[in-house]
Amino acid sequence: MTTAAATAAHDGVTDAALSAVGLHRQYGRGTAAVQALRGVSVAFAPGTFTAVMGPSGSGKTTLLHCLAGMDRPTGGTVRWGRTEVSGLPERRLAELRRTRVGFVFQAFNLMPAMTVGQNVELPGRLAGRPPERAAVREALARVGLAGRERHRPGQLSGGQQQRVAIARALVSRPEVLFADEPTGALDRATGQEVLGLLRSGVDTDGRTCVMVTHDPVAAGYADRVLLLADGLLVDELTAPTAAQVAERLSRLGG
Ligand SMILES: Nc1ncnc2c1ncn2[C@@H]1O[C@H](COP(=O)(O)OP(=O)(O)OP(=O)(O)O)[C@@H](O)[C@H]1O
């Protein structure tokens, strides 16, 4: 590689919203060791929506957790923008996680005893910030739940609960939103509303979104699909249709 090309390649990584180089994640040791990631390098441009797919056990959730700073890779590096996060001490990483990334889970993970407003406020409280009622109201309005602050999660439908979880993830205006099977517990129509919200966060706010999904229709909302198999990145599709995704997945046995 020429010096100029090397510099360009380097900038490709440092200009990314999120990047990983040579990620390895081993669980357990000796004969019980599992190599969940075996050397994944990938970059995510700002303002793009990427779906991560692959057969069960291929390492999707492990990759998402390592990229989101929720799990520590056993080798390789993760950067959020230019900040290398993989080697940070836990406290510093937790602080950065609260402001720079958001996470949405399949099972919503709301606190049932708290109101919707308190759930959305929670990340700010954990970060020691004073309650920002206006920001909470705005986040709920953006996901179509204006005026629901005082409800409890149990009084809402599954789709509405997932929208609360999205509001909670977005209230700190993170650069990157991670979602692990965000529509896995929802019916198709409700799931599509949630996907529409993720898509509009990318298109309107320039957010970067990385989503694990098993559903080719959900992946069709993304700009790019990464395919994992056995802990390695094995294929990539840009501007995917659901039919193309289903066909590539079936080749992998997923
Ligand atoms: N905490 C853990 N301890 C031991 N092994 C683990 C742990 N978490 C994941 N694994 C193993 O790592 C591999 C990758 O798991 P991961 O959950 O990342 O896959 P996945 O592609 O998300 O799977 P699925 O689609 O079934 O959710 C699997 O073999 C899994 O059994």
Side-chain angles (χ1 to χ4, degrees):
M1 197 185 284
T2 63
T3 309
T7 307
H10 184 67
D11 282 345
V13 170
T14 53
D15 290 344
L18 170 73
S19 58
V21 177
L23 273 195
H24 282 79
R25 178 62 167 105
Q26 174 177 320
Y27 293 109
R29 288 168 166 227
T31 51
V34 175
Q35 304 288 342
L37 298 176
R38 299 191 297 132
V40 173
S41 298
V42 62
F44 301 84
T48 57
F49 190 174
T50 302
V52 179
M53 305 191 81
S56 182
S58 57
K60 302 180 294 295
T61 294
T62 304
L63 175 62
L64 207 68
H65 285 182
C66 287
L67 291 172
M70 292 166 61
D71 189 8
R72 298 270 189 187
T74 42
T77 54
V78 174
R79 282 194 177 79
W80 298 343
R82 290 172 186 245
T83 313
E84 185 177 329
V85 294
S86 32
L88 290 177
E90 189 50 44
R91 251 181 94 165
R92 178 79 187 115
L93 180 58
E95 274 169 26
L96 278 186
R97 216 169 31 222
R98 288 193 194 110
T99 51
R100 296 198 51 183
V101 302
F103 208 98
V104 175
F105 302 87
Q106 176 174 355
F108 322 140
N109 292 14
L110 299 175
M111 307 297 263
M114 292 183 175
T115 65
V116 161
Q118 287 167 339
N119 267 282
V120 176
E121 246 169 42
L122 190 59
R125 277 185 190 278
L126 291 173
R129 289 194 296 270
E132 295 175 66
R133 294 275 144 72
V136 168
R137 270 201 304 276
E138 190 198 320
L140 283 168
R142 291 199 76 166
V143 299
L145 291 175
R148 299 294 188 120
E149 283 90 334
R150 290 170 190 276
H151 286 76
R152 307 263 166 198
Q155 297 172 303
L156 302 179
S157 70
Q160 288 170 332
Q161 290 186 51
Q162 191 60 302
R163 287 193 267 150
V164 174
I166 293 174
R168 178 182 58 185
L170 295 186
V171 74
S172 64
R173 302 184 176 277
E175 294 145 50
V176 185
L177 180 66
F178 294 96
D180 194 356
E181 294 266 10
T183 60
L186 304 176
D187 63 53
R188 179 140 294 219
T190 312
Q192 292 192 351
E193 285 171 21
V194 164
L195 291 162
L197 276 175
L198 299 182
R199 180 74 248 178
S200 72
V202 172
D203 294 338
T204 315
D205 302 331
R207 183 165 300 111
T208 305
C209 185
V210 186
M211 168 181 77
V212 165
T213 182
H214 284 280
D215 178 4
V217 174
Y221 281 74
D223 302 305
R224 175 174 70 146
V225 176
L226 302 177
L227 289 142
L228 281 179
D230 203 15
L232 291 170
L233 208 50
V234 292
D235 205 354
E236 182 173 329
L237 276 166
T238 41
T241 64
Q244 286 168 334
V245 173
E247 192 267 328
R248 295 287 177 101
L249 263 185
S250 70
R251 280 200 227 162
L252 292 176

